[in-house]
Amino acid sequence: MSARKPDWLKIAVHVASLAPLAVLAFQYRQGSLGPDATGGAIRRTGRYAIVLLLLSLVPTAVRLISGSAKLLKVRRILGLYAFGYVVVHLLGFAWLDYGFEFRFLLPALVSGRRTLAGLVSLVLLVPLAITS
């Protein structure tokens, strides 16, 4: 029985996708996120989610332009990490900003354009994450 060779591209994508969360957790623990640590952490997780979601579209574009399908194997991984960061972003918003007080949280989710766009994005990403 032969041992499978490690897929270094997938390993690199996993490490690169988890690294921002590890750095964020370290900086939060050290108190080096600035005067508004909670807001900074929430904004960063949202930014990471958007970046990973956009990166999940790159393999398809590369295949269409170059014909190479090598990156297609990381498309799902990137999409699932994007969903994970969206969930962390929402949990951070609900927990760190509102302490899961739903009487304050629900009006805040639908009051602003950004929060409403984030909520709609989460709803659209749930079926994609489930089917991945």
Side-chain angles (χ1 to χ4, degrees):
M1 185 170 192
S2 65
R4 286 182 46 191
K5 291 171 44 176
D7 190 342
W8 293 109
L9 179 61
K10 285 184 179 181
I11 292 170
V13 168
H14 283 292
V15 169
S17 297
L18 288 171
L21 190 61
V23 169
L24 180 64
F26 178 76
Q27 289 177 335
Y28 191 80
R29 177 97 169 117
Q30 295 296 319
S32 60
L33 286 178
D36 182 18
T38 299
I42 292 169
R43 281 188 297 279
R44 284 187 188 185
T45 55
R47 192 174 306 126
Y48 300 151
I50 291 170
V51 167
L52 285 167
L53 188 60
L54 291 174
L55 285 175
S56 73
L57 301 174
V58 169
T60 304
V62 168
R63 185 181 56 81
L64 290 173
I65 293 170
S66 71
S68 174
K70 291 179 183 178
L71 291 179
L72 288 178
K73 59 186 173 184
V74 298
R75 181 177 51 185
R76 178 182 298 145
I77 296 168
L78 290 168
L80 288 173
Y81 274 114
F83 177 73
Y85 275 101
V86 167
V87 170
V88 170
H89 178 71
L90 177 65
L91 288 175
F93 180 75
W95 177 39
L96 298 173
D97 266 354
Y98 290 94
F100 292 115
E101 288 287 333
F102 290 103
R103 64 176 183 243
F104 301 122
L105 179 61
L106 294 177
L109 283 173
V110 296
S111 65
R113 288 189 309 218
R114 283 190 242 160
T115 53
L116 190 57
L119 191 59
V120 168
S121 300
L122 175 68
V123 169
L124 292 174
L125 284 174
V126 167
L128 295 175
I130 289 172
T131 59
S132 288

